[in-house]
Amino acid sequence: EEPILKPGCKEYFWLLCKLVDNIHIKDASQTTLLDLDALARHLADCIRSREILDHQDGNVEDDGLTGLLRLATSVVKHKPPFKFSREGQEFLRDIFNLLFLLPSLKDRQQPKCKSHSSRAAAYDLLVEMVKGSVENYRLIHNWVMAQHMQSHAPYKWDYWPHEDVRAECRFVGLTNLGATCYLASTIQQLYMIPEARQAVFTAKYSEDMKHKTTLLELQKMFTYLMESECKAYNPRPFCKTYTMDKQPLNTGEQKDMTEFFTDLITKIEEMSPELKNTVKSLFGGVITNNVVSLDCEHVSQTAEEFYTVRCQVADMKNIYESLDEVTIKDTLEGDNMYTCSHCGKKVRAEKRACFKKLPRILSFNTMRYTFNMVTMMKEKVNTHFSFPLRLDMTPYTEDFLMGKSERKEGFKEVSDHSKDSESYEYDLIGVTVHTGTADGGHYYSFIRDIVNPHAYKNNKWYLFNDAEVKPFDSAQLASECFGGEMTTKTYDSVTDKFMDFSFEKTHSAYMLFYKRMEPEEENGREYKFDVSSELLEWIWHDNMQFLQDKNIFEHTYFGFMWQLCSCIPSTLPDPKAVSLMTAKLSTSFVLETFIHSKEKPTMLQWIELLTKQFNNSQAACEWFLDRMADDDWWPMQILIKCPNQIVRQMFQRLCIHVIQRLRPVHAHLYLQPGMEDGSDDMDTSVEDIGGRSCVTRFVRTLLLIMEHGVKPHSKHLTEYFAFLYEFAKMGEEESQFLLSLQAISTMVHFYMGTKGPENPQVEVLSEEEGEEEEEEEDILSLAEEKYRPAALEKMIALVALLVEQSRSER
């Protein structure tokens, strides 16, 4: 009964499983007491109708679902007719979906099995449903095969997506591309301000819009930060489109965060009138410089807009002292008297700067960098400088500092009375810290979550440090952000005592972000962000690919695949009938997925299994070579591009082993033309030779890689030439075939780089690989990279072998 399946039902199901496991079918009296077939069907219905309760993070595990799956496994072991029926096959698909149905924009709760225990139980049930049933095996084979065939971009090498999973706090980081921490800190501070986020999302395009590509990439980045299942977003596309000082962003060059922050919001402001209003309202303030004459009735006032307030740190204890310095009254008298713009006379006057308009987000730039006129060098000020969690700006406003003077009638007219209702109190919502020296260092941010009302109310803070995001205790803000000295104990061996040792902290706040306090009802507001459907679909396409990778690159799944490829076929009535199917599945899984995995402890067992399967099936060997003859994806990815030498060697030896297995039945075909009609055409072209055998067709494809797919300075060519050398050594037919294809000439032209303009050597790379190659070429010149000694040695040995063979013929 469904109501029983509560979280604490583990023991209940454990007992049921034990009872079912101990049933002996031969005992007729027991089978009448329990109809296993009916029970299997009932359990299938219960599993299908079970609501989704499992949580990915493991906070909630659906013990009821896990129990149902384990009980179903115990029942299916007794081979009830249901297992072999059409309904059983439909249930097989349902189990597969429990594991692999991907969440989507419309249904984010899938799959039903998320916790480790429920997934392990579902895998066990899948295995039991397939054992002994050829039809079920064919079905599962096709579904799994689709997950491992080349239907996606190549996986990264040493890939383990579980390391890239979004943090438990559900915030996404930004990958550091060398020296882009200033960009990451700026973007995260902006993104965590709900009004700024919404303004970016709702911005409308127009043909004459300035910085259109920057807006598009900013929207993409914000969507990724909000919706992605990954740990971090790579901001390279944004960096490629963004220009600063009319130059593209150099990801290896550190920039001042305040300069970048101002540059970015200025660009956003220039995009459209709506965005201009948002930026002005959020970040734009006005400072007035007021000169009040003491000898006449006139007041001179000049206004200056700002996005960040410069805060002096040197010789200041805290932000209040720094603001006092900004707004301090200065008397102009004696030789320094002021020339009144109205009277034209020299008068005594008082000069003072005031905050006329304060923005909703008040940002400060702490002037931590100074220029030493003695050493003529830029230096960092590491002295202690504090700031409060709540800042009252009232004493620094124009109303407070200038409004009390009764004789300033003209001044009162320009003051903004609408400000009376506004609060001048601000809450700290973000701090960007700089650690290091004036010449270089690193930026990271502490940000308060003000988007989520519950988090805002509970003062939840987070550390955003490039790709890493984690909760932060705001009680540590002083020690992390105020700078000053740190004292530690060090042992003095001379006095045999622990001494106090003080040194300056090199990490301190560089930018501060304060948010104007709002009425209590405003603080509890839920924010809904209007993201375009195109952007959401784009990110969810990315999410689904990542979540599928996460399902596949996982040890439980690897164990399931081992069962499917190694153990289950032996339980079928005729294992030989499925030998080709099994070999295809094993090969596709190992070459497309398993060797890309960072964690592959069972590598040796898989290679042994593949070798055994190829030994047992000539058809599998022929399929393997035929596939690579028609499509060079595997040899290119594994033999040429794989950075792991052991994997390259494994693949090379596997290919040689398969060819040796086929040699007795294929060697006589190596020099035959590709014509099937048996006609004796004496004018057979070079292109036709070897067309009758998958072996020679595969070798021809490998030689074409040298002409079209790889450069002489490629790093990983040793195993490529080792394969060709081992092939040539097999016998006269092999070396004759290579000679007939003019392999010596091909290799000489390849090494010399003299293929000619009609057939240039072009290596087709993905965008990411292309960027990596550019970086490599910056580090090492082509002359130094011209050839790897081991690869050259193999190539020379191969050429020598072929030359010797050519001479013996003559």
Side-chain angles (χ1 to χ4, degrees):
E1 291 296 328
E2 199 70 21
I4 296 173
L5 310 185
K6 298 292 182 189
C9 58
K10 281 183 181 178
E11 290 76 12
Y12 168 74
F13 278 111
W14 179 85
L15 180 60
L16 280 180
C17 289
K18 283 292 179 188
L19 291 170
V20 172
D21 287 342
N22 288 318
I23 288 177
H24 300 289
I25 298 300
K26 291 176 184 176
D27 188 339
S29 62
Q30 283 195 328
T31 53
T32 53
L33 289 172
L34 182 61
D35 186 342
L36 289 173
D37 193 58
L39 180 56
R41 292 170 189 275
H42 176 64
L43 288 169
D45 290 338
C46 289
I47 290 167
R48 283 193 194 101
S49 61
R50 183 79 175 165
E51 62 179 317
I52 298 177
L53 300 173
D54 245 4
H55 280 207
Q56 198 127 21
D57 54 18
N59 290 342
V60 179
E61 290 193 9
D62 186 0
D63 292 329
L65 177 60
T66 304
L68 287 167
L69 292 166
R70 286 180 178 156
L71 182 57
T73 306
S74 294
V75 171
V76 170
K77 280 180 184 174
H78 292 293
K79 301 178 182 176
F82 170 72
K83 172 178 171 175
F84 304 93
S85 66
R86 178 172 290 279
E87 293 87 348
Q89 288 167 8
E90 289 170 3
F91 180 51
L92 187 71
R93 183 75 216 193
D94 291 333
I95 307 165
F96 191 81
N97 287 340
L98 292 181
L99 291 159
F100 299 110
L101 194 63
L102 294 171
S104 65
L105 188 55
K106 293 176 182 174
D107 186 4
R108 301 189 184 201
Q109 282 202 297
Q110 297 295 344
K112 195 175 284 189
C113 290
K114 297 188 192 72
S115 65
H116 178 75
S117 56
S118 68
R119 291 185 72 79
Y123 278 124
D124 289 343
L125 179 53
L126 264 187
V127 168
E128 208 53 56
M129 284 291 291
V130 174
K131 280 182 181 176
S133 170
V134 177
E135 212 38 61
N136 289 2
Y137 182 76
R138 286 186 193 281
L139 287 171
I140 202 81
H141 171 276
N142 293 339
W143 301 334
V144 174
M145 190 78 170
Q147 297 191 141
H148 296 288
M149 291 302 284
Q150 177 200 330
S151 58
H152 52 78
Y155 291 119
K156 300 173 195 169
W157 293 101
D158 289 330
Y159 184 39
W160 198 249
H162 299 272
E163 294 175 352
D164 298 326
V165 175
R166 188 171 176 168
E168 279 185 32
C169 62
R170 305 303 291 158
F171 291 114
V172 176
L174 289 165
T175 308
N176 193 328
L177 301 175
T180 55
C181 52
Y182 67 91
L183 180 145
S185 289
T186 301
I187 294 294
Q188 295 285 17
Q189 293 283 7
L190 270 181
Y191 170 76
M192 292 295 283
I193 297 167
E195 296 90 344
R197 191 192 303 185
Q198 180 69 316
V200 168
F201 280 142
T202 54
K204 299 289 186 284
Y205 292 105
S206 62
E207 284 305 313
D208 56 347
M209 174 184 275
K210 288 182 76 174
H211 319 298
K212 186 174 179 178
T213 53
T214 296
L215 176 60
L216 177 62
E217 290 303 333
L218 195 60
Q219 287 179 332
K220 279 187 177 180
M221 191 152 36
F222 276 19
T223 308
Y224 204 101
L225 292 177
M226 190 165 77
E227 291 286 332
S228 178
E229 293 291 329
C230 298
K231 178 180 180 180
Y233 176 69
N234 185 329
R236 194 179 291 279
F238 178 84
C239 294
K240 280 185 172 181
T241 62
Y242 197 90
T243 55
M244 192 169 172
D245 302 324
K246 297 183 179 178
Q247 294 290 322
L249 279 188
N250 178 354
T251 56
E253 179 189 336
Q254 181 71 274
K255 291 193 181 295
D256 182 281
M257 183 195 160
T258 305
E259 289 177 13
F260 179 74
F261 171 78
T262 307
D263 188 79
L264 177 59
I265 61 173
T266 303
K267 280 187 172 65
I268 294 172
E269 180 188 352
E270 292 171 351
M271 290 172 183
S272 71
E274 293 81 12
L275 285 172
K276 182 172 185 174
N277 290 338
T278 301
V279 170
K280 292 281 187 195
S281 138
L282 270 182
F283 303 105
V286 177
I287 284 184
T288 54
N289 291 299
N290 303 283
V291 182
V292 180
S293 172
L294 299 176
D295 298 328
C296 64
E297 293 294 315
H298 299 129
V299 176
S300 171
Q301 187 180 69
T302 56
E304 180 187 336
E305 292 187 348
F306 68 85
Y307 285 135
T308 58
V309 179
R310 292 157 67 91
C311 252
Q312 198 65 37
V313 171
D315 303 320
M316 300 285 166
K317 289 181 184 175
N318 54 44
I319 198 169
Y320 290 115
E321 284 192 10
S322 188
L323 286 167
D324 287 339
E325 180 75 12
V326 171
T327 57
I328 194 167
K329 185 188 289 184
D330 188 16
T331 304
L332 307 176
E333 56 188 357
D335 293 340
N336 199 26
M337 281 206 294
Y338 170 68
T339 303
C340 179
S341 57
H342 293 276
C343 309
K345 295 188 294 187
K346 289 268 187 181
V347 294
R348 290 176 304 119
E350 289 176 349
K351 182 181 178 183
R352 158 170 269 159
C354 313
F355 287 92
K356 180 181 179 67
K357 174 179 176 288
L358 286 167
R360 292 165 74 183
I361 304 296
L362 182 59
S363 55
F364 293 94
N365 170 24
T366 61
M367 307 295 288
R368 285 279 179 187
Y369 303 140
T370 59
F371 191 78
N372 188 322
M373 297 302 291
V374 178
T375 62
M376 300 301 286
M377 291 178 71
K378 194 177 172 186
E379 293 178 352
K380 187 176 176 190
V381 180
N382 290 317
T383 53
H384 187 272
F385 181 81
S386 66
F387 47 88
L389 288 172
R390 180 159 291 173
L391 174 67
D392 186 3
M393 289 293 291
T394 306
Y396 312 104
T397 60
E398 194 177 75
D399 284 350
F400 183 87
L401 293 169
M402 305 294 293
K404 293 178 182 176
S405 177
E406 292 177 5
R407 65 189 194 87
K408 308 298 183 290
E409 299 298 330
F411 168 74
K412 284 189 176 180
E413 287 174 16
V414 298
S415 68
D416 184 1
H417 288 289
S418 66
K419 293 188 296 184
D420 292 345
S421 59
E422 287 182 352
S423 167
Y424 291 132
E425 284 198 305
Y426 284 81
D427 277 339
L428 183 69
I429 60 164
V431 183
T432 294
V433 171
H434 179 267
T435 180
T437 65
D439 298 320
H442 178 61
Y443 291 105
Y444 53 91
S445 292
F446 300 110
I447 307 177
R448 185 178 179 184
D449 184 358
I450 62 173
V451 178
N452 182 328
H454 180 75
Y456 187 25
K457 186 178 178 183
N458 289 290
N459 195 31
K460 294 284 185 185
W461 285 74
Y462 296 90
L463 163 67
F464 290 79
N465 189 354
D466 290 335
E468 182 186 26
V469 185
K470 60 184 182 183
F472 173 72
D473 181 3
S474 60
Q476 301 299 314
L477 276 169
S479 62
E480 291 291 333
C481 305
F482 288 178
E485 288 192 340
M486 177 184 282
T487 304
T488 184
K489 298 269 187 194
T490 36
Y491 176 69
D492 186 345
S493 57
V494 178
T495 60
D496 193 27
K497 290 180 180 176
F498 282 94
M499 311 285 286
D500 284 341
F501 175 66
S502 295
F503 57 92
E504 277 190 333
K505 294 177 183 177
T506 57
H507 58 278
S508 53
Y510 185 64
M511 279 197 80
L512 308 174
F513 294 85
Y514 281 90
K515 175 181 179 289
R516 177 184 282 142
M517 284 186 63
E518 295 171 336
E520 192 61 39
E521 62 271 14
E522 287 289 306
N523 290 339
R525 182 172 32 153
E526 283 274 2
Y527 288 98
K528 302 271 187 215
F529 298 103
D530 302 321
V531 187
S532 75
S533 57
E534 291 85 0
L535 280 174
L536 283 172
E537 283 169 16
W538 167 74
I539 188 63
W540 269 93
H541 178 269
D542 195 62
N543 276 344
M544 289 168 76
Q545 183 63 65
F546 174 73
L547 292 169
Q548 181 173 341
D549 293 353
K550 198 162 139 295
N551 288 338
I552 288 173
F553 284 84
E554 199 257 326
H555 291 301
T556 314
Y557 181 75
F558 288 175
F560 165 69
M561 287 301 297
W562 180 261
Q563 295 255 51
L564 213 52
C565 298
S566 175
C567 310
I568 290 175
S570 61
T571 70
L572 303 178
D574 184 6
K576 283 189 177 180
V578 295
S579 60
L580 177 58
M581 280 173 57
T582 307
K584 283 183 178 182
L585 183 58
S586 305
T587 308
S588 299
F589 167 67
V590 171
L591 300 187
E592 286 288 334
T593 305
F594 189 71
I595 60 172
H596 285 266
S597 170
K598 185 178 179 181
E599 299 182 17
K600 40 183 181 285
T602 56
M603 176 84 165
L604 194 59
Q605 290 96 303
W606 274 105
I607 301 308
E608 287 174 355
L609 177 66
L610 282 181
T611 307
K612 181 181 169 186
Q613 288 175 345
F614 285 132
N615 284 342
N616 292 337
S617 172
Q618 180 181 324
C621 294
E622 290 169 342
W623 164 82
F624 181 50
L625 295 182
D626 268 327
R627 189 184 186 285
M628 294 191 292
D630 294 334
D631 182 355
D632 65 4
W633 172 268
W634 285 344
M636 275 297 294
Q637 292 300 318
I638 306 166
L639 209 53
I640 306 293
K641 293 184 179 179
C642 175
N644 187 325
Q645 187 183 19
I646 294 170
V647 171
R648 297 196 307 272
Q649 288 175 345
M650 170 278 297
F651 182 73
Q652 175 234 322
R653 288 169 188 161
L654 185 65
C655 292
I656 289 292
H657 180 82
V658 169
I659 291 172
Q660 285 173 331
R661 162 78 173 77
L662 290 177
R663 193 173 191 277
V665 288
H666 275 257
H668 72 284
L669 300 171
Y670 289 173
L671 297 170
Q672 296 292 318
M675 294 171 292
E676 297 289 341
D677 57 6
S679 63
D680 297 326
D681 188 345
M682 299 302 292
D683 298 324
T684 302
S685 67
V686 172
E687 285 75 19
D688 287 334
I689 294 173
R692 299 276 293 280
S693 167
C694 58
V695 175
T696 41
R697 287 177 61 245
F698 168 59
V699 173
R700 183 191 289 278
T701 299
L702 276 190
L703 283 172
L704 285 173
I705 285 176
M706 212 187 306
E707 294 184 23
H708 301 294
V710 69
K711 295 180 181 177
H713 63 273
S714 296
K715 289 189 291 186
H716 314 305
L717 290 175
T718 308
E719 288 70 32
Y720 173 77
F721 285 113
F723 168 81
L724 291 172
Y725 178 66
E726 291 295 325
F727 175 73
K729 274 193 348 184
M730 283 183 191
E732 189 179 334
E733 292 90 339
E734 286 79 5
S735 52
Q736 283 293 331
F737 172 69
L738 289 173
L739 284 169
S740 70
L741 293 187
Q742 301 172 345
I744 297 175
S745 168
T746 300
M747 283 184 279
V748 170
H749 282 305
F750 170 70
Y751 180 62
M752 300 302 291
T754 56
K755 260 331 267 184
E758 78 287 346
N759 197 8
Q761 290 163 347
V762 178
E763 184 167 11
V764 181
L765 298 173
S766 70
E767 186 177 304
E768 199 170 289
E769 289 171 325
E771 283 155 3
E772 286 171 6
E773 179 153 302
E774 282 169 25
E775 288 165 16
E776 281 176 18
E777 290 181 7
D778 288 341
I779 298 164
L780 292 165
S781 71
L782 287 185
E784 292 170 326
E785 280 286 283
K786 183 67 180 176
Y787 227 85
R788 303 285 171 168
L792 180 57
E793 186 183 313
K794 286 292 180 189
M795 193 183 83
I796 291 171
L798 172 57
V799 171
L801 183 68
L802 293 177
V803 168
E804 185 63 34
Q805 180 65 34
S806 178
R807 280 180 184 159
S808 65
E809 274 182 43
R810 293 199 200 103

